[in-house]
Amino acid sequence: MDFQISEDSAPSEFISEEQRRQLVGRPPATGAWLAGDPIGHRKLSEVFDLETESGEKLVGARLAFESWGELNQDASNAVLVLHALTGDSHAIGNAGDGHATAGWWNGIIGPGLAIDTDKYFVVTPNVLGGCQGSTGPSSLDRNGREYGPSFPQLTIRDQAKAFEILGRSLGIETWYAIVGGSMAGMHALEMAISNPKLMQRLAILAAPPFSTADQIALNTVQLEAIRSDSNFAAGWYYDAKPGFGPHRGLALARRMALLNYRSPEELNERFGRSWQSQVSPLTERGKYAVESYLDFHGNKFVRRFDANSYITLVSAMNSHDIARGRESVDAALSNINCPTLVLGIDSDRLFPVSGQEQIAAGIKGELIGGGLQVIQSEFGHDGFLIEIEAVGQQLEALLQA
């Protein structure tokens, strides 16, 4: 796997010694994009204020976003593509020039592709609370210091409101389609339920109607891994020298998450009981190849993400429940009456197909393909990012509906 390709978007594979050498050197205290860094292809929204569900007010916030294609005269061809937990606005394109990794959906968005930028104006924002240009814990507050742990608690609904504000600032009252997978599917669901007129089409990929106790438990262990790192310093680590940030805790959280994103079948088939670099883990203090895979991607991750942002976003995912404050899951889903693609991955152990079955059963609008679409994949949850051909075909059907 190329060092600059997001691990979410590619099959797992053995890590070479050359790849391991690429991570030599101490990482900065945060992998966030910071003011003064190369801006790359980002654009920055107008500033806005947001009243959060927690009762706190976020003043002077902004979202970083990227766009492709041209918005037509009546703003009727805009497609909003939202990113998953560790994604960002860089959905397509190469790494470099302010972007740590290549686009996470290369092959889906672009001229002549499933989301055709010759036809559609495509917008991908970095989520509020993120760390790649949007206002988040690594951003400076009104006193000129990083928000850190004082950043307001956010919910999926708060972040969905921020996306609505962005659309209006771009002159888009109704999106031709909103597309979201995983955490982004949570955002897309909330937008469709709270404001059904906001989109003409909807895609929910590998996302649940609510976060279950099992999912919250898995998330909580990851957050405690970060907080238990002594270098986390209760969230005030931004002035730490390279190598003295909360890297061990954040890397461990990433390792845990990767196990949820991939299927047992893929890991067993790829790695088996192989040793890394033919060094025995039994007598020579070596490692199994799968250990090296997790180590590499954990250590790579800390160079492009922020520990406080990870806590903020995962906590928002824990808040996800479309029935909260509403009559029921089915009652909330009945608000969705536009053509909708609901797609699941058969090997997904993070957000199993049973969640997508519940979503598909409750939606009142037309379902693309006549019902829930399930993709056969060995890649587990990340199949919605990796199975480009199969996912692309389903998205084309939605956009042509």
Side-chain angles (χ1 to χ4, degrees), residues 40-56:
H41 299 288
R42 294 173 183 82
K43 304 176 181 73
L44 299 176
S45 73
E46 300 172 358
V47 297
F48 60 90
D49 299 341
L50 184 72
E51 294 280 356
T52 68
E53 286 199 281
S54 69
E56 295 182 82

Side-chain angles (χ1 to χ4, degrees), residues 126-297:
N126 182 215
V127 67
L128 186 67
C131 60
Q132 291 299 317
S134 291
T135 299
S138 60
S139 303
L140 300 183
D141 62 19
R142 286 178 288 178
N143 297 317
R145 185 185 186 187
E146 293 86 359
Y147 280 98
S150 67
F151 191 75
Q153 180 178 345
L154 297 179
T155 65
I156 291 294
R157 294 182 189 181
D158 292 328
Q159 294 165 328
K161 285 181 186 177
F163 293 141
E164 291 190 36
I165 293 170
L166 173 65
R168 289 195 295 270
S169 75
L170 297 175
I172 301 165
E173 295 296 330
T174 302
W175 295 90
Y176 183 82
I178 295 180
V179 179
S182 192
M183 179 185 78
M186 300 176 184
H187 294 129
L189 274 172
E190 279 296 342
M191 295 173 78
I193 291 166
S194 63
N195 190 355
K197 295 181 180 180
L198 194 62
M199 75 285 297
Q200 296 176 348
R201 293 161 186 80
L202 177 67
I204 305 297
L205 316 177
F210 54 88
S211 292
T212 65
D214 178 61
Q215 291 154 6
I216 293 170
L218 293 170
N219 288 341
T220 298
V221 174
Q222 294 173 44
L223 301 190
E224 286 308 308
I226 296 172
R227 293 182 176 123
S228 65
D229 186 331
S230 60
N231 287 335
F232 181 63
W236 298 111
Y237 53 80
Y238 293 100
D239 293 332
K241 295 178 181 179
F244 291 89
H247 309 121
R248 291 178 63 87
L250 181 57
L252 179 56
R254 182 59 170 172
R255 292 181 183 97
M256 295 175 185
L258 281 174
L259 295 178
N260 298 326
Y261 299 158
R262 297 308 173 99
S263 72
E265 292 75 19
E266 183 198 6
L267 295 177
N268 291 336
E269 181 178 337
R270 288 287 187 279
F271 301 110
R273 294 184 53 80
S274 299
W275 303 345
Q276 177 67 29
S277 303
Q278 299 181 336
V279 179
S280 171
L282 303 180
T283 60
E284 301 176 52
R285 298 181 183 241
K287 290 186 176 183
Y288 291 101
V290 71
E291 290 182 86
S292 186
Y293 167 78
L294 293 173
D295 287 349
F296 176 80
H297 288 298

Side-chain angles (χ1 to χ4, degrees), residues 20 36 67 70 81 104 108 112 142 207-208 232-233 237 293 337 350 355:
R20 294 175 71 183
S67 64
E70 298 293 332
V81 177
W104 47 268
I108 290 286
R142 286 178 288 178
F232 181 63
Y237 53 80
Y293 167 78
N337 49 32
L350 177 61

Side-chain angles (χ1 to χ4, degrees), residues 296-378:
F296 176 80
H297 288 298
N299 293 330
K300 173 183 168 184
F301 182 65
V302 303
R303 288 164 165 80
R304 69 173 182 88
F305 220 82
D306 177 67
N308 277 322
S309 269
Y310 197 88
I311 291 172
T312 296
L313 301 188
V314 170
S315 297
M317 291 175 68
N318 286 347
S319 78
H320 175 55
D321 180 3
I322 63 172
R324 181 167 56 84
R326 300 171 178 137
E327 183 181 340
S328 65
V329 167
D330 287 342
L333 290 168
S334 68
N335 284 350
I336 302 175
N337 49 32
C338 64
T340 301
L341 168 64
V342 183
L343 183 145
I345 307 297
D346 69 332
S347 56
D348 191 341
R349 57 176 169 178
L350 177 61
F351 298 137
V353 170
S354 57
Q356 291 96 58
E357 289 173 343
Q358 190 172 9
I359 293 170
I363 288 176
K364 298 305 180 186
E366 172 194 355
L367 290 175
I368 301 304
L372 170 65
Q373 302 300 297
V374 178
I375 289 177
Q376 310 292 313
S377 175
E378 66 175 310

